[in-house]
Amino acid sequence: MKKTIATITMIIMLIAMTSGLVYAGTTIQQSDIKEGLTFCELYPVKLALDGKEISFLQKDVPPVIIKERTLIPARALFEAMGGKVTWNNDTQSVHVTYDDTEVVLTIGSDKALVNGQSKELEVPALIIDHDNDYYGSTMIPVRFTAEALGCNVGWEDATRSVVIASPAKPEIPIIDSKDGDNNQNGNTGNDWDTSTTWQYEKLNEAAKGKLVVIDMGHGGKDSGSIGHKNMSDELSEKELNLPIGIKLNEYLKSAGVSTYVLRETDIYYTLLERAQKANDAGATIFISIHNNSSESSAPNGTEILYNSKKNTEGKSEMDLYGIQSKDIAQNVQNEMVKSLGTHNRGIKNSPEMAVLNKTYMPAIIVEGAFLSNESDFEMMKKADYTDKYALAVAKGIIKSLNEAYK
Ligand SMILES: [Zn+2]
């Protein structure tokens, strides 16, 4: 009987090897693997974990895209994250463990186990021998596995990189509770966390993992609005927006919010590219950082643009994401005006703005203050403007996340 099963298994394997591997939801042919290998040899795919590129062993197959899913050798990435990767030869399966989560992927199976629960896979784990040296690499779908372990996974087109953010583990310094200065907001409950630099509402468990994309407006060849008093006293929007976004990211990350920053350097993306990147990253909230200007020097203050949008099936932001841009805009606006002391220009439904109508998720544009107004301009030149702006947006986002995900 055992022999019969072995023979049948052999036959199935032989059929699989010659005619392509057929799985429940999907069919992976040898030609798909070959095509993926050839394409990725021409256009290599990189892998970055928390901003650092992951390198692979020489003998390993480099990341390969098969049926629009990226497969990678498991060990390099998940061990760099601090996880454990083991191979079970009897069951032909890869076990990846990180924190309290275990993901089991069996070669050729369209089902994976996440802490014992069965999940569908679009592309299974595969053994690929790219250089016919009979040494196969075990390749596993990176997005599925990393997300199952609590990472955020995005794709950066410019560098052809799978961008992975490991689960946020905020390091909150412990502060002596006798120090009265740390309780300035009068809140005595447990629902605030205190760090040395700022106080924020504690993020709900249910809000963790909701991805916030930060877009710093303009950049590179596009300087945005420019304010000046005279030729030597000039300030452009792009100079302001980049450090504000970077600071905002730091604040959000330290509070445990999952983030993805569209750019960290002075480079230019089109509005469509920005929206596309947020869509590809699977974001829940899109925040675009800007500052304002006008032909006249009179207008001043803070305003936020949002777009109460519906998808093609008539579903609202609330239906699709459980949170809506109007509420986020209002929360951020309240914090901005409080923090900067600027004139409150209110929130405005602005469906005509590209980043608001080309993004799928709730999105807002923050317009901090007017470079074209003299008193706003003086405020924006001060060193603490960046920090006050970033902190206010962070607080508004955390408040919105907590209200939406309880
Ligand atoms: Zn702008």
Side-chain angles (χ1 to χ4, degrees):
M1 188 62 191
K2 261 201 165 149
K3 215 169 174 188
T4 322
I5 290 171
T7 315
I8 291 170
T9 312
M10 271 296 279
I11 292 168
I12 290 171
M13 276 180 71
L14 281 170
I15 291 170
M17 281 164 78
T18 49
S19 67
L21 311 160
V22 184
Y23 308 107
T26 177
T27 312
I28 306 293
Q29 307 284 344
Q30 284 301 328
S31 57
D32 294 323
I33 298 175
K34 224 173 166 178
E35 195 183 291
L37 287 170
T38 312
F39 183 77
C40 292
E41 206 173 306
L42 282 170
Y43 305 99
V45 172
K46 286 191 231 163
L47 194 63
L49 172 68
D50 297 330
K52 279 193 203 118
E53 194 179 334
I54 298 284
S55 51
F56 296 94
L57 299 173
Q58 193 71 47
K59 63 183 169 71
D60 271 337
V61 175
V64 57
I65 300 173
I66 296 172
K67 298 239 160 171
E68 289 169 35
R69 295 281 170 260
T70 307
L71 283 85
I72 58 156
R75 218 166 276 280
L77 171 68
F78 295 108
E79 286 184 348
M81 245 173 73
K84 234 177 101 181
V85 181
T86 53
W87 167 252
N88 185 325
N89 206 34
D90 294 340
T91 54
Q92 294 283 296
S93 56
V94 184
H95 296 238
V96 186
T97 42
Y98 179 76
D99 266 6
D100 301 327
T101 311
E102 185 193 42
V103 182
V104 181
L105 299 122
T106 303
I107 299 301
S109 170
D110 63 346
K111 299 251 179 358
L113 293 176
V114 179
N115 282 344
Q117 278 207 318
S118 180
K119 306 266 179 190
E120 293 279 328
L121 283 174
E122 280 167 81
V123 172
L126 297 167
I127 291 177
I128 298 178
D129 176 13
H130 67 313
D131 47 11
N132 295 316
D133 63 354
Y134 301 100
Y135 179 89
S137 283
T138 309
M139 306 292 282
I140 66 170
V142 61
R143 178 181 284 272
F144 174 89
T145 314
E147 284 182 346
L149 297 174
C151 299
N152 274 299
V153 183
W155 170 259
E156 196 180 273
D157 228 333
T159 54
R160 291 189 58 75
S161 299
V162 178
V163 182
I164 295 170
S166 57
K169 285 188 186 161
E171 282 171 30
I172 313 285
I174 297 161
I175 286 165
D176 189 350
S177 58
K178 278 174 278 180
D179 188 350
D181 285 342
N182 294 315
N183 221 358
Q184 285 165 336
N185 63 2
N187 194 313
T188 49
N190 294 330
D191 50 344
W192 286 78
D193 271 355
T194 309
S195 86
T196 43
T197 50
W198 70 300
Q199 293 178 309
Y200 54 90
E201 206 176 323
K202 192 176 178 184
L203 189 68
N204 290 345
E205 274 305 310
K208 286 178 185 168
K210 303 286 179 192
L211 186 65
V212 176
V213 165
I214 303 167
D215 166 40
M216 297 82 151
H218 312 280
K221 64 180 182 184
D222 171 18
S223 56
S225 315
I226 297 174
H228 41 79
K229 246 164 72 180
N230 52 51
M231 288 305 274
S232 60
D233 193 3
E234 196 181 270
L235 186 60
S236 75
E237 218 192 320
K238 77 166 189 178
E239 289 174 80
L240 286 168
N241 299 345
L242 183 62
I244 291 169
I246 288 171
K247 195 78 205 172
L248 169 62
N249 184 42
E250 285 172 17
Y251 279 133
L252 288 175
K253 278 207 312 209
S254 73
V257 177
S258 303
T259 58
Y260 176 54
V261 182
L262 287 194
R263 62 186 184 90
E264 286 172 297
T265 51
D266 186 24
I267 52 169
Y268 173 75
Y269 286 126
T270 66
L271 297 176
L272 213 61
E273 282 170 333
R274 293 167 201 253
Q276 193 60 53
K277 280 170 186 290
N279 293 341
D280 289 348
T284 298
I285 298 177
F286 178 92
I287 308 284
S288 195
I289 302 295
H290 284 260
N291 283 286
N292 226 333
S293 84
S294 164
E295 307 236 312
S296 140
S297 64
N300 66 93
T302 305
E303 66 186 33
I304 297 187
L305 314 179
Y306 67 97
N307 176 16
S308 292
K309 56 197 166 193
K310 285 192 160 73
N311 77 353
T312 47
E313 288 158 18
K315 292 219 164 88
S316 70
E317 297 172 295
M318 204 51 123
D319 296 334
L320 295 163
Y321 294 91
I323 191 167
Q324 57 187 13
S325 56
K326 190 179 179 184
D327 296 338
I328 305 165
Q330 192 59 64
N331 283 330
V332 174
Q333 175 71 4
N334 294 346
E335 294 293 341
M336 285 290 279
V337 171
K338 198 160 70 181
S339 167
L340 296 171
T342 41
H343 168 57
N344 190 342
R345 300 174 61 86
I347 62 169
K348 295 171 181 175
N349 195 21
S350 311
E352 72 284 0
M353 306 301 286
V355 294
L356 301 184
N357 66 45
K358 294 288 186 283
T359 42
Y360 302 147
M361 74 291 313
I364 64 167
I365 297 173
V366 184
E367 296 281 4
F370 278 76
L371 284 158
S372 46
N373 175 269
E374 204 182 317
S375 71
D376 273 10
F377 180 71
E378 290 302 326
M379 169 192 66
M380 296 161 96
K381 278 195 314 188
K382 289 195 184 133
D384 63 355
Y385 178 68
T386 299
D387 200 55
K388 283 183 170 172
Y389 185 134
L391 181 54
V393 178
K395 283 182 175 174
I397 292 171
I398 292 168
K399 187 165 198 281
S400 306
L401 285 168
N402 279 345
E403 283 171 358
Y405 309 109
K406 291 191 170 123

